[in-house]
Amino acid sequence: MKNLFYLVFLFSVSSISAQINYDQKIISNYVEFAKFDAENMEFVTEEEGDVEFIFSPEEDYYIFDSGEERIHINWTYYKEESEDGMDTYGSEAGEKIVFNYEDQAIWIFTEYDESINYYTDLMILSKLTVVDKQTAGEYIPQSVRQ
């Protein structure tokens, strides 16, 4: 019993303080696009649906693949903005990317508005599947499969 408690404790501590695993790709099967409503101080979903995206993180950059377009963007881990169950990154494109492990979602904030000191656009990737990058076969996006 003591060993079980020790293993659970180690796992919880490592998951809280760890960054995203760079050896894995994250496949999102659902996306929401939202706009910030400054009057109500909340994001309002404008569009959503079953769309597949592949998010492939590396230490200094990530690759975002929509099946039609593949984007390579440099990023930096923001340890001071990361919280329990969440990791935060900032990209060279001005995005704030939050990995919410509890909700199993990736929040990508864009379009920073200095007048309200907040981002106005949000893309939420959810229904996530994680695949090791070192698998024998290359992952083929659902939109490309026949």
Side-chain angles (χ1 to χ4, degrees):
M1 186 69 166
K2 186 176 180 182
N3 288 338
L4 178 62
F5 173 77
Y6 182 72
L7 285 174
V8 170
F9 176 75
L10 276 180
F11 175 76
S12 64
V13 169
S14 67
S15 67
I16 288 172
S17 62
Q19 294 175 324
I20 190 164
N21 187 339
Y22 301 124
D23 295 327
Q24 299 174 326
K25 293 180 186 179
I26 303 166
I27 297 118
S28 167
N29 292 295
Y30 195 79
V31 66
E32 294 176 56
F33 295 97
K35 287 273 190 195
F36 187 68
D37 179 356
E39 186 175 308
N40 295 318
M41 299 298 290
E42 66 182 11
F43 281 94
V44 178
T45 300
E46 293 191 331
E47 191 176 342
E48 60 187 314
D50 295 323
V51 180
E52 185 177 86
F53 291 105
I54 301 172
F55 194 97
S56 185
E58 298 291 338
E59 188 172 348
D60 296 327
Y61 66 93
Y62 69 89
I63 297 172
F64 189 79
D65 190 344
S66 67
E68 296 175 10
E69 184 177 18
R70 192 175 159 112
I71 303 168
H72 175 283
I73 299 178
N74 294 327
W75 68 352
T76 303
Y77 177 61
Y78 291 162
K79 184 176 183 176
E80 65 281 352
E81 289 188 31
S82 298
E83 303 173 9
D84 290 351
M86 292 186 188
D87 282 326
T88 303
Y89 290 77
S91 79
E92 70 179 357
E95 303 163 327
K96 179 177 180 178
I97 303 157
V98 178
F99 293 87
N100 183 330
Y101 302 115
E102 188 174 306
D103 292 341
Q104 295 185 351
I106 302 171
W107 301 334
I108 303 174
F109 295 90
T110 59
E111 303 301 323
Y112 189 80
D113 185 337
E114 291 187 23
S115 67
I116 60 171
N117 203 27
Y118 207 69
Y119 292 89
T120 59
D121 292 358
L122 172 62
M123 178 170 53
I124 303 170
L125 303 175
S126 60
K127 295 185 182 177
L128 304 177
T129 304
V130 177
V131 177
D132 287 337
K133 290 180 183 175
Q134 304 302 328
T135 56
E138 180 66 25
Y139 178 77
I140 300 171
Q142 187 176 18
S143 58
V144 176
R145 289 184 220 148
Q146 296 185 13

Short mmCIF file of all heavy atoms in Angstrom, two decimals, residues 1 45 52 68-69 90 95 104 106 111 114 124 126 131 137 142 145:
data_model
loop_
_atom_site.label_atom_id
_atom_site.label_comp_id
_atom_site.label_asym_id
_atom_site.label_seq_id
_atom_site.Cartn_x
_atom_site.Cartn_y
_atom_site.Cartn_z
N MET A 1 0.82 -1.19 0.00
CA MET A 1 0.00 0.00 0.00
C MET A 1 0.87 1.26 0.00
O MET A 1 0.56 2.22 -0.67
CB MET A 1 -0.91 -0.03 1.23
CG MET A 1 -1.90 1.07 1.25
SD MET A 1 -3.10 0.82 -0.06
CE MET A 1 -4.32 1.95 0.42
N THR A 45 -19.02 31.17 -28.26
CA THR A 45 -18.75 30.30 -29.41
C THR A 45 -19.52 30.80 -30.62
O THR A 45 -20.72 31.03 -30.56
CB THR A 45 -19.15 28.84 -29.09
OG1 THR A 45 -18.39 28.39 -27.97
CG2 THR A 45 -18.90 27.93 -30.27
N GLU A 52 -10.70 17.81 -37.97
CA GLU A 52 -9.48 17.20 -37.46
C GLU A 52 -8.27 18.11 -37.68
O GLU A 52 -8.08 18.63 -38.78
CB GLU A 52 -9.24 15.86 -38.13
CG GLU A 52 -8.05 15.12 -37.57
CD GLU A 52 -7.89 13.77 -38.20
OE1 GLU A 52 -7.24 13.70 -39.27
OE2 GLU A 52 -8.41 12.79 -37.64
N GLU A 68 -4.94 20.55 -44.96
CA GLU A 68 -4.79 21.38 -46.16
C GLU A 68 -3.57 22.28 -46.06
O GLU A 68 -2.98 22.66 -47.06
CB GLU A 68 -6.03 22.25 -46.36
CG GLU A 68 -7.29 21.45 -46.62
CD GLU A 68 -8.52 22.32 -46.71
OE1 GLU A 68 -8.39 23.56 -46.74
OE2 GLU A 68 -9.62 21.76 -46.73
N GLU A 69 -3.23 22.65 -44.82
CA GLU A 69 -2.11 23.56 -44.59
C GLU A 69 -1.32 23.07 -43.38
O GLU A 69 -1.88 22.61 -42.40
CB GLU A 69 -2.65 24.98 -44.34
CG GLU A 69 -1.59 26.02 -44.18
CD GLU A 69 -2.19 27.41 -44.00
OE1 GLU A 69 -3.37 27.53 -43.67
OE2 GLU A 69 -1.43 28.37 -44.17
N GLY A 90 3.84 30.71 -25.37
CA GLY A 90 3.62 31.88 -26.20
C GLY A 90 4.34 31.66 -27.52
O GLY A 90 5.45 31.14 -27.54
N GLU A 95 0.44 34.27 -30.29
CA GLU A 95 -0.59 33.42 -29.70
C GLU A 95 -0.22 33.05 -28.26
O GLU A 95 0.94 33.02 -27.90
CB GLU A 95 -0.71 32.10 -30.48
CG GLU A 95 -1.00 32.25 -31.93
CD GLU A 95 -0.70 30.97 -32.70
OE1 GLU A 95 0.26 30.25 -32.33
OE2 GLU A 95 -1.40 30.72 -33.67
N GLN A 104 -8.89 18.20 -21.00
CA GLN A 104 -8.36 17.56 -22.20
C GLN A 104 -8.66 18.42 -23.43
O GLN A 104 -9.33 17.99 -24.38
CB GLN A 104 -8.92 16.15 -22.35
CG GLN A 104 -8.46 15.25 -21.23
CD GLN A 104 -8.91 13.82 -21.41
OE1 GLN A 104 -9.70 13.50 -22.28
NE2 GLN A 104 -8.40 12.95 -20.58
N ILE A 106 -6.98 22.01 -25.84
CA ILE A 106 -5.93 22.97 -26.14
C ILE A 106 -6.62 24.27 -26.48
O ILE A 106 -7.46 24.31 -27.38
CB ILE A 106 -5.05 22.51 -27.32
CG1 ILE A 106 -4.42 21.15 -27.02
CG2 ILE A 106 -3.98 23.55 -27.62
CD1 ILE A 106 -3.72 20.52 -28.22
N GLU A 111 -5.16 37.27 -31.53
CA GLU A 111 -5.66 38.64 -31.67
C GLU A 111 -5.70 39.37 -30.32
O GLU A 111 -6.76 39.64 -29.77
CB GLU A 111 -7.05 38.67 -32.33
CG GLU A 111 -7.10 38.01 -33.68
CD GLU A 111 -6.17 38.64 -34.70
OE1 GLU A 111 -6.00 39.88 -34.70
OE2 GLU A 111 -5.59 37.87 -35.50
N GLU A 114 -4.87 45.42 -27.07
CA GLU A 114 -4.24 46.19 -26.00
C GLU A 114 -5.21 47.09 -25.25
O GLU A 114 -5.00 47.41 -24.08
CB GLU A 114 -3.08 47.01 -26.57
CG GLU A 114 -1.93 46.12 -27.00
CD GLU A 114 -0.71 46.91 -27.41
OE1 GLU A 114 -0.55 48.07 -26.99
OE2 GLU A 114 0.11 46.34 -28.15
N ILE A 124 -10.58 26.37 -29.59
CA ILE A 124 -10.48 25.28 -28.62
C ILE A 124 -10.44 23.96 -29.37
O ILE A 124 -11.38 23.63 -30.10
CB ILE A 124 -11.67 25.29 -27.64
CG1 ILE A 124 -11.75 26.62 -26.92
CG2 ILE A 124 -11.55 24.11 -26.66
CD1 ILE A 124 -13.03 26.80 -26.11
N SER A 126 -10.48 19.96 -29.02
CA SER A 126 -10.88 18.97 -28.04
C SER A 126 -11.12 17.62 -28.71
O SER A 126 -10.83 17.47 -29.90
CB SER A 126 -12.13 19.44 -27.29
OG SER A 126 -13.20 19.64 -28.18
N VAL A 131 -0.78 10.34 -30.05
CA VAL A 131 -0.10 9.30 -30.81
C VAL A 131 1.40 9.54 -30.69
O VAL A 131 1.86 10.67 -30.85
CB VAL A 131 -0.50 9.37 -32.31
CG1 VAL A 131 0.26 8.35 -33.12
CG2 VAL A 131 -1.99 9.19 -32.47
N GLY A 137 4.10 3.42 -38.58
CA GLY A 137 3.46 4.05 -39.73
C GLY A 137 3.18 5.51 -39.44
O GLY A 137 2.94 5.90 -38.31
N GLN A 142 -7.68 12.05 -41.00
CA GLN A 142 -8.97 11.54 -41.41
C GLN A 142 -9.43 12.20 -42.71
O GLN A 142 -10.03 11.56 -43.56
CB GLN A 142 -9.98 11.77 -40.29
CG GLN A 142 -11.32 11.14 -40.52
CD GLN A 142 -12.22 11.33 -39.33
OE1 GLN A 142 -11.99 12.19 -38.49
NE2 GLN A 142 -13.26 10.53 -39.24
N ARG A 145 -7.61 10.33 -45.52
CA ARG A 145 -7.86 8.89 -45.68
C ARG A 145 -8.95 8.64 -46.71
O ARG A 145 -9.87 9.40 -46.85
CB ARG A 145 -8.30 8.28 -44.35
CG ARG A 145 -7.23 8.19 -43.35
CD ARG A 145 -7.74 7.48 -42.12
NE ARG A 145 -7.19 8.19 -40.97
CZ ARG A 145 -7.77 8.33 -39.83
NH1 ARG A 145 -8.94 7.84 -39.60
NH2 ARG A 145 -7.18 8.97 -38.85
#
